[in-house]
């Protein structure tokens, strides 16, 4: 069951990478996203053919994500998706003609290293618990949402600068992580009780998803594709991994060696963000 969940997570990662690169192409072609005009901005984005294609592919990726969450612990699913970010560079160069620099290759390679360590240490895990306590769940989501909203507002304050893309990418990732934790909680109740979908976690997932939608779109417009996508994905996965451990009690490891290996895997994913070069100014990108 765990191994099938990891395979679904890998499929989700591949599909998500394609979706994000399509949405990047569509976002660049669309008018600038304005948080003060959300409906107008959303309509403008969906009038861009590539954004619409990317969004449709993202829906398929989300279905794979939910299936993976139902079969494997949250921390393993999200770390697997993080590790598969190395596929992003290959897809970007081969299919979308985006040049990938050395630092970006190194950063994405660190994610692959984390995936390999995760695969080695995941054999002994035999459960995918979705049980949680209300207090830790509410505290975790409130904290992540608060930080995400602050970053979202900071990234939209003033004009476009070198920090705009990373701030919006980080905000989108945090909010996507909140949505992932909420979905994981729902996988433990909705299949047996459809009425349980009427839940605060459903509202949290929807609200966080909307914020991430606009943050990611504007981030893709103001930053280079690879760094923005990588920061968003890694931030989302790190929040989800922490949620899996702190909220759902996912094991870090069954023995000291497994604990060390998994900690190294998590650290590799986080270090990958530090290697990503900051997005250039929009004017430089166009030049």
């Amino acid at each position: 069951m765990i191994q099938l969940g990891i395979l679904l997570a890998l499929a989700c990662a591949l599909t998500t990478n394609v979706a994000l690169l399509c949405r990047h192409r569509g976002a660049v072609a669309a008018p600038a996203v304005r948080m003060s005009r959300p409906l107008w901005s959303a309509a403008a984005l969906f009038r861009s053919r590539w954004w619409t294609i990317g969004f449709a592919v993202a829906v398929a990726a989300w279905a794979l994500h939910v299936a993976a969450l139902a079969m494997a612990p949250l921390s393993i699913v999200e770390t697997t998706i993080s590790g598969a970010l190395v596929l992003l560079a290959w897809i970007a160069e081969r299919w979308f003609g985006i040049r990938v620099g050395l630092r970006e290759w190194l950063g994405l390679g660190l994610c692959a290293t984390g995936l390999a360590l995760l695969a080695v240490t995941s054999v002994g895990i035999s459960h995918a618990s979705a049980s949680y306590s209300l207090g830790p769940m509410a505290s975790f989501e409130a904290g992540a949402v608060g930080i995400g909203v602050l970053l979202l507002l900071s990234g939209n304050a003033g004009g476009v600068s070198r920090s705009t893309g990373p701030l919006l990418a980080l905000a989108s990732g945090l909010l996507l992580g909140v949505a992932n934790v909420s979905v994981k909680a729902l996988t433990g109740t909705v299949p047996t009780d459809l009425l349980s979908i009427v839940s605060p976690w459903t509202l949290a997932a929807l609200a966080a998803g909307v914020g991430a939608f606009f943050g990611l779109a504007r981030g893709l417009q103001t930053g280079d594709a690879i760094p923005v996508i990588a920061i968003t994905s890694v931030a989302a996965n790190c929040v989800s991994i922490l949620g899996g451990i702190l909220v759902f009690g996912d094991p870090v490891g069954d023995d000291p060696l497994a604990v060390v290996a998994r900690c190294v895997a998590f650290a590799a994913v986080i270090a990958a963000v530090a290697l990503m070069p900051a997005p250039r100014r929009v004017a430089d990108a166009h030049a």
Side-chain angles (χ1 to χ4, degrees), residues 99-245:
R99 183 179 177 276
V100 181
L102 178 60
R103 287 180 62 183
E104 293 164 328
W105 272 110
L106 290 174
L108 294 173
L110 273 177
C111 290
T113 301
L115 173 62
L117 288 173
L118 175 69
V120 170
T121 59
S122 65
V123 177
I125 300 176
S126 59
H127 71 282
S129 174
S131 60
Y132 60 91
S133 297
L134 181 60
M137 178 74 165
S139 299
F140 183 86
E141 296 226 323
V145 168
I147 296 172
V149 170
L150 286 176
L151 290 171
L152 195 62
L153 294 176
S154 299
N156 282 283
V160 176
S161 67
R162 292 182 66 85
S163 64
T164 300
L167 284 174
L168 291 173
L170 192 55
S172 299
L174 285 172
L175 294 173
L176 285 173
V178 170
N180 290 340
V181 173
S182 298
V183 170
K184 178 62 178 180
L186 292 171
T187 61
T189 57
V190 172
T192 56
D193 181 11
L194 292 178
L195 292 180
S196 65
I197 199 171
V198 182
S199 162
W201 314 131
T202 302
L203 296 178
L206 291 175
V210 170
F213 173 90
F214 288 109
L216 177 60
R218 185 57 179 157
L220 291 172
Q221 290 179 335
T222 57
D224 292 340
I226 301 299
V228 169
I229 291 173
I231 291 172
T232 300
S233 300
V234 170
N237 294 329
C238 285
V239 170
S240 301
I241 290 165
L242 286 176
I245 295 171

Side-chain angles (χ1 to χ4, degrees), residues 15-72:
T15 310
T16 298
N17 288 337
V18 173
L20 286 168
L21 289 167
C22 289
R23 290 164 76 179
H24 171 262
R25 182 174 289 182
V28 171
V33 171
R34 299 180 184 178
M35 298 297 178
S36 59
R37 301 179 62 186
L39 294 180
W40 178 87
S41 296
L45 286 169
F46 281 105
R47 281 196 293 269
S48 174
R49 181 184 63 173
W50 278 105
W51 177 271
T52 303
I53 292 173
F55 190 85
V57 176
V59 171
W62 178 81
L64 291 170
H65 194 181
V66 173
L69 288 174
M71 296 183 182

